[in-house]
Amino acid sequence: MPASLSDKKGGRTTANTTAIEQLRPRSILVPVDFSDSSKYALNYAISVATTFGSSLILVYVVEPAVYPADLGFGQVTLPNIERELAERGKSELNELVKSRVGKNLNCRTIVRTGKPSQEILYTAREEKIDLIVIATHGHTGVEHMIFGGTTEKVVKKAPCPVLIVRPTDYP
């Protein structure tokens, strides 16, 4: 029997054991928008992190607040609103960590401002994430055109595997 397919006898490792070890995520990114579906995805991530001893990073993205002001001036950004949303997001993330994650797992939070898919991907690359666990809201048709697409964009461009948790997976 080839060495790569042998069992653990004699100190050799099976191909299955090696593959499982290579798939073990050391760090898991969980995008959170505080919806029920993103909290449910967080529960999946907690289970995976507990099983494999992974660290968690929760990321909340504040979309820039741009409002049309006047035809003569164009669009106007409102940085105070963004700052307030970022502060509230940080506070809610900390509460989520306290209430759901607890102290048994290594967990950090990050708040970013920008387009959600781009900021999630940036965070995944910057933090060298091994797995992204993300919810999909299940929008279709016009709703998908208006609201959706973040999960799809993340899946298409992610630098690591992505676990998608669908709203139909609720118990």
Side-chain angles (χ1 to χ4, degrees):
M1 180 178 269
S4 64
L5 298 178
S6 64
D7 58 19
K8 284 204 163 230
K9 295 176 186 172
R12 295 177 293 196
T13 306
T14 65
N16 287 341
T17 303
T18 303
I20 289 169
E21 183 57 31
Q22 288 175 347
L23 292 174
R24 183 180 78 82
R26 288 166 198 58
S27 58
I28 301 172
L29 180 66
V30 187
V32 176
D33 63 3
F34 306 108
S35 66
D36 287 342
S37 56
S38 73
K39 290 176 184 177
Y40 192 63
L42 174 60
N43 290 342
Y44 267 79
I46 291 168
S47 294
V48 173
T50 300
T51 300
F52 291 105
S54 311
S55 63
L56 290 174
I57 297 177
L58 280 54
V59 63
Y60 172 67
V61 180
V62 177
E63 292 192 66
V66 178
Y67 296 95
D70 180 310
L71 293 175
F73 294 109
Q75 294 181 331
V76 174
T77 60
L78 302 172
N80 289 338
I81 290 175
E82 289 174 18
R83 194 173 318 117
E84 184 179 315
L85 288 172
E87 288 171 11
R88 186 180 309 157
K90 183 72 170 171
S91 174
E92 288 187 38
L93 279 177
N94 290 335
E95 187 58 39
L96 202 56
V97 169
K98 247 190 256 182
S99 66
R100 295 204 183 220
V101 179
K103 296 180 180 180
N104 295 332
L105 290 173
N106 179 16
C107 183
R108 292 189 300 124
T109 62
I110 296 173
V111 176
R112 297 207 183 273
T113 300
K115 290 184 75 171
S117 60
Q118 290 175 354
E119 296 303 321
I120 292 164
L121 292 166
Y122 176 79
T123 303
R125 287 185 192 93
E126 180 181 63
E127 298 289 335
K128 296 178 177 49
I129 295 297
D130 296 314
L131 175 67
I132 299 171
V133 178
I134 189 169
T136 180
H137 293 285
H139 297 303
T140 59
V142 174
E143 280 184 327
H144 177 72
M145 286 176 19
I146 296 170
F147 302 113
T150 297
T151 300
E152 185 179 349
K153 290 171 188 171
V154 168
V155 168
K156 285 181 178 180
K157 297 182 179 182
C160 60
V162 179
L163 173 62
I164 302 170
V165 180
R166 299 174 345 146
T168 57
D169 292 340
Y170 293 129

